[in-house]
mmCIF file of all heavy atoms in Angstrom:
data_model
loop_
_atom_site.group_PDB
_atom_site.id
_atom_site.type_symbol
_atom_site.label_atom_id
_atom_site.label_comp_id
_atom_site.label_asym_id
_atom_site.label_seq_id
_atom_site.Cartn_x
_atom_site.Cartn_y
_atom_site.Cartn_z
ATOM 1 N N LEU A 40 -16.749 -39.524 -24.552
ATOM 2 C CA LEU A 40 -16.768 -38.358 -23.673
ATOM 3 C C LEU A 40 -17.148 -38.784 -22.265
ATOM 4 O O LEU A 40 -18.167 -39.440 -22.061
ATOM 5 C CB LEU A 40 -17.766 -37.314 -24.185
ATOM 6 C CG LEU A 40 -17.939 -36.067 -23.331
ATOM 7 C CD1 LEU A 40 -16.637 -35.269 -23.257
ATOM 8 C CD2 LEU A 40 -19.052 -35.205 -23.888
ATOM 9 N N THR A 42 -17.330 -37.143 -18.181
ATOM 10 C CA THR A 42 -17.229 -35.978 -17.297
ATOM 11 C C THR A 42 -17.345 -36.465 -15.867
ATOM 12 O O THR A 42 -18.164 -37.331 -15.569
ATOM 13 C CB THR A 42 -18.333 -34.943 -17.597
ATOM 14 O OG1 THR A 42 -19.602 -35.577 -17.505
ATOM 15 C CG2 THR A 42 -18.177 -34.345 -18.977
ATOM 16 N N LEU A 51 -14.886 -29.331 -13.221
ATOM 17 C CA LEU A 51 -15.400 -30.440 -14.012
ATOM 18 C C LEU A 51 -14.249 -31.011 -14.838
ATOM 19 O O LEU A 51 -13.586 -30.295 -15.586
ATOM 20 C CB LEU A 51 -16.520 -29.960 -14.937
ATOM 21 C CG LEU A 51 -17.189 -31.023 -15.801
ATOM 22 C CD1 LEU A 51 -17.963 -32.015 -14.936
ATOM 23 C CD2 LEU A 51 -18.104 -30.386 -16.827
ATOM 24 N N ILE A 53 -12.950 -33.399 -17.838
ATOM 25 C CA ILE A 53 -13.469 -33.880 -19.120
ATOM 26 C C ILE A 53 -12.399 -34.732 -19.786
ATOM 27 O O ILE A 53 -11.229 -34.339 -19.844
ATOM 28 C CB ILE A 53 -13.848 -32.708 -20.051
ATOM 29 C CG1 ILE A 53 -14.933 -31.841 -19.410
ATOM 30 C CG2 ILE A 53 -14.301 -33.212 -21.409
ATOM 31 C CD1 ILE A 53 -15.249 -30.578 -20.186
ATOM 32 N N VAL A 65 -15.218 -24.990 -25.739
ATOM 33 C CA VAL A 65 -15.916 -25.648 -24.644
ATOM 34 C C VAL A 65 -17.003 -24.685 -24.195
ATOM 35 O O VAL A 65 -16.719 -23.577 -23.736
ATOM 36 C CB VAL A 65 -14.954 -25.972 -23.470
ATOM 37 C CG1 VAL A 65 -15.713 -26.643 -22.339
ATOM 38 C CG2 VAL A 65 -13.805 -26.843 -23.950
ATOM 39 N N ARG A 66 -18.255 -25.114 -24.374
ATOM 40 C CA ARG A 66 -19.392 -24.233 -24.079
ATOM 41 C C ARG A 66 -20.286 -24.905 -23.052
ATOM 42 O O ARG A 66 -20.644 -26.078 -23.204
ATOM 43 C CB ARG A 66 -20.160 -23.954 -25.361
ATOM 44 C CG ARG A 66 -21.328 -23.011 -25.168
ATOM 45 C CD ARG A 66 -21.950 -22.605 -26.455
ATOM 46 N NE ARG A 66 -22.209 -23.732 -27.336
ATOM 47 C CZ ARG A 66 -22.355 -23.628 -28.649
ATOM 48 N NH1 ARG A 66 -22.249 -22.466 -29.236
ATOM 49 N NH2 ARG A 66 -22.601 -24.690 -29.368
ATOM 50 N N ILE A 67 -20.662 -24.170 -22.017
ATOM 51 C CA ILE A 67 -21.572 -24.676 -20.993
ATOM 52 C C ILE A 67 -22.876 -23.891 -21.096
ATOM 53 O O ILE A 67 -22.866 -22.657 -21.110
ATOM 54 C CB ILE A 67 -20.975 -24.543 -19.580
ATOM 55 C CG1 ILE A 67 -19.693 -25.381 -19.488
ATOM 56 C CG2 ILE A 67 -21.984 -24.973 -18.522
ATOM 57 C CD1 ILE A 67 -18.960 -25.256 -18.173
ATOM 58 N N SER A 68 -23.994 -24.632 -21.180
ATOM 59 C CA SER A 68 -25.324 -24.027 -21.303
ATOM 60 C C SER A 68 -26.203 -24.489 -20.151
ATOM 61 O O SER A 68 -26.060 -25.618 -19.674
ATOM 62 C CB SER A 68 -25.992 -24.446 -22.613
ATOM 63 O OG SER A 68 -25.176 -24.139 -23.709
ATOM 64 N N VAL A 91 -12.308 -27.912 -16.341
ATOM 65 C CA VAL A 91 -13.089 -26.708 -16.608
ATOM 66 C C VAL A 91 -13.626 -26.197 -15.269
ATOM 67 O O VAL A 91 -14.376 -26.907 -14.590
ATOM 68 C CB VAL A 91 -14.265 -27.004 -17.573
ATOM 69 C CG1 VAL A 91 -15.117 -25.770 -17.787
ATOM 70 C CG2 VAL A 91 -13.737 -27.543 -18.895
ATOM 71 N N TYR A 101 -26.678 -28.649 -16.190
ATOM 72 C CA TYR A 101 -26.011 -27.957 -17.291
ATOM 73 C C TYR A 101 -25.629 -28.956 -18.385
ATOM 74 O O TYR A 101 -25.579 -30.159 -18.162
ATOM 75 C CB TYR A 101 -24.746 -27.247 -16.806
ATOM 76 C CG TYR A 101 -25.041 -26.088 -15.887
ATOM 77 C CD1 TYR A 101 -25.125 -26.277 -14.514
ATOM 78 C CD2 TYR A 101 -25.234 -24.811 -16.391
ATOM 79 C CE1 TYR A 101 -25.401 -25.220 -13.668
ATOM 80 C CE2 TYR A 101 -25.502 -23.746 -15.557
ATOM 81 C CZ TYR A 101 -25.589 -23.950 -14.191
ATOM 82 O OH TYR A 101 -25.861 -22.909 -13.370
ATOM 83 N N MET A 102 -25.311 -28.410 -19.558
ATOM 84 C CA MET A 102 -24.817 -29.186 -20.697
ATOM 85 C C MET A 102 -23.456 -28.617 -21.068
ATOM 86 O O MET A 102 -23.314 -27.407 -21.242
ATOM 87 C CB MET A 102 -25.765 -29.049 -21.886
ATOM 88 C CG MET A 102 -25.302 -29.733 -23.140
ATOM 89 S SD MET A 102 -25.622 -31.486 -23.155
ATOM 90 C CE MET A 102 -27.386 -31.514 -23.278
ATOM 91 N N VAL A 103 -22.449 -29.491 -21.167
ATOM 92 C CA VAL A 103 -21.145 -29.073 -21.671
ATOM 93 C C VAL A 103 -21.008 -29.620 -23.088
ATOM 94 O O VAL A 103 -21.333 -30.768 -23.350
ATOM 95 C CB VAL A 103 -19.978 -29.537 -20.765
ATOM 96 C CG1 VAL A 103 -19.908 -31.045 -20.665
ATOM 97 C CG2 VAL A 103 -18.653 -28.966 -21.256
ATOM 98 N N GLN A 104 -20.586 -28.756 -24.021
ATOM 99 C CA GLN A 104 -20.444 -29.138 -25.419
ATOM 100 C C GLN A 104 -19.054 -28.753 -25.908
ATOM 101 O O GLN A 104 -18.584 -27.642 -25.646
ATOM 102 C CB GLN A 104 -21.490 -28.440 -26.277
ATOM 103 C CG GLN A 104 -21.398 -28.810 -27.742
ATOM 104 C CD GLN A 104 -22.366 -28.015 -28.596
ATOM 105 O OE1 GLN A 104 -22.419 -26.801 -28.520
ATOM 106 N NE2 GLN A 104 -23.133 -28.715 -29.402
ATOM 107 N N LEU A 105 -18.407 -29.679 -26.593
ATOM 108 C CA LEU A 105 -17.125 -29.417 -27.240
ATOM 109 C C LEU A 105 -17.373 -29.398 -28.733
ATOM 110 O O LEU A 105 -17.992 -30.319 -29.277
ATOM 111 C CB LEU A 105 -16.102 -30.489 -26.871
ATOM 112 C CG LEU A 105 -15.589 -30.388 -25.437
ATOM 113 C CD1 LEU A 105 -16.534 -31.049 -24.482
ATOM 114 C CD2 LEU A 105 -14.213 -30.958 -25.328
ATOM 115 N N ILE A 112 -19.655 -32.774 -29.529
ATOM 116 C CA ILE A 112 -20.059 -33.829 -28.608
ATOM 117 C C ILE A 112 -20.474 -33.143 -27.321
ATOM 118 O O ILE A 112 -19.939 -32.073 -26.987
ATOM 119 C CB ILE A 112 -18.910 -34.857 -28.396
ATOM 120 C CG1 ILE A 112 -19.410 -36.100 -27.688
ATOM 121 C CG2 ILE A 112 -17.731 -34.220 -27.689
ATOM 122 C CD1 ILE A 112 -18.417 -37.259 -27.706
ATOM 123 N N SER A 113 -21.447 -33.704 -26.607
ATOM 124 C CA SER A 113 -21.948 -33.033 -25.411
ATOM 125 C C SER A 113 -22.325 -34.031 -24.331
ATOM 126 O O SER A 113 -22.510 -35.214 -24.591
ATOM 127 C CB SER A 113 -23.149 -32.156 -25.754
ATOM 128 O OG SER A 113 -24.173 -32.930 -26.294
ATOM 129 N N SER A 114 -22.419 -33.491 -23.105
ATOM 130 C CA SER A 114 -22.788 -34.305 -21.946
ATOM 131 C C SER A 114 -23.448 -33.393 -20.919
ATOM 132 O O SER A 114 -23.152 -32.208 -20.852
ATOM 133 C CB SER A 114 -21.538 -34.961 -21.352
ATOM 134 O OG SER A 114 -21.867 -35.732 -20.229
ATOM 135 N N ARG A 115 -24.318 -33.974 -20.101
ATOM 136 C CA ARG A 115 -24.971 -33.231 -19.033
ATOM 137 C C ARG A 115 -24.222 -33.424 -17.722
ATOM 138 O O ARG A 115 -23.608 -34.451 -17.502
ATOM 139 C CB ARG A 115 -26.407 -33.673 -18.858
ATOM 140 C CG ARG A 115 -27.291 -33.247 -20.001
ATOM 141 C CD ARG A 115 -28.688 -33.715 -19.755
ATOM 142 N NE ARG A 115 -28.693 -35.157 -20.053
ATOM 143 C CZ ARG A 115 -29.699 -35.802 -20.578
ATOM 144 N NH1 ARG A 115 -30.816 -35.180 -20.821
ATOM 145 N NH2 ARG A 115 -29.622 -37.075 -20.831
ATOM 146 N N PHE A 116 -24.303 -32.415 -16.863
ATOM 147 C CA PHE A 116 -23.753 -32.540 -15.518
ATOM 148 C C PHE A 116 -24.567 -31.693 -14.552
ATOM 149 O O PHE A 116 -25.271 -30.772 -14.957
ATOM 150 C CB PHE A 116 -22.256 -32.161 -15.484
ATOM 151 C CG PHE A 116 -21.975 -30.693 -15.688
ATOM 152 C CD1 PHE A 116 -21.840 -29.843 -14.612
ATOM 153 C CD2 PHE A 116 -21.812 -30.197 -16.980
ATOM 154 C CE1 PHE A 116 -21.571 -28.498 -14.794
ATOM 155 C CE2 PHE A 116 -21.536 -28.856 -17.167
ATOM 156 C CZ PHE A 116 -21.415 -28.008 -16.080
#
Side-chain angles (χ1 to χ4, degrees):
L40 177 63
T42 56
L51 182 67
I53 300 173
V65 179
R66 182 172 48 202
I67 298 176
S68 305
V91 177
Y101 292 90
M102 176 81 69
V103 61
Q104 181 185 51
L105 287 83
I112 192 168
S113 60
S114 179
R115 290 180 284 214
F116 70 94

